[in-house]
Amino acid sequence: MAAVAAFWFGAGIAALIDPKRQKQNAMIVALSIVVCLSAYLGMVASRPAPPGTSHGGPNVYPPQSQSTAP
């Protein structure tokens, strides 16, 4: 939702500044938003997991805590 709002805001400002190239400016704004979102998602995906969680697939469970171990 924020990306859509940012696109319309950026495209509107660009259209006010240079009304002859509205389509080109809108494409530049859209491309910059896609690049920013891709960078953000790449950084979020590469962050380490919080303590006590696992990055394993199915059937890989987090380690049991000391209080529930037999």
Side-chain angles (χ1 to χ4, degrees), residues 4-31:
V4 173
F7 168 75
W8 285 111
F9 180 75
I13 295 296
L16 289 174
I17 293 172
D18 190 8
K20 293 182 181 180
R21 297 188 181 113
Q22 291 179 3
K23 290 181 183 178
Q24 180 183 4
N25 291 338
M27 290 301 296
I28 291 170
V29 170
L31 182 63

Side-chain angles (χ1 to χ4, degrees), residues 21-54:
R21 297 188 181 113
Q22 291 179 3
K23 290 181 183 178
Q24 180 183 4
N25 291 338
M27 290 301 296
I28 291 170
V29 170
L31 182 63
S32 63
I33 290 172
V34 168
V35 167
C36 290
L37 285 176
S38 298
Y40 172 74
L41 291 176
M43 289 187 314
V44 168
S46 66
R47 290 183 58 198
T53 60
S54 174

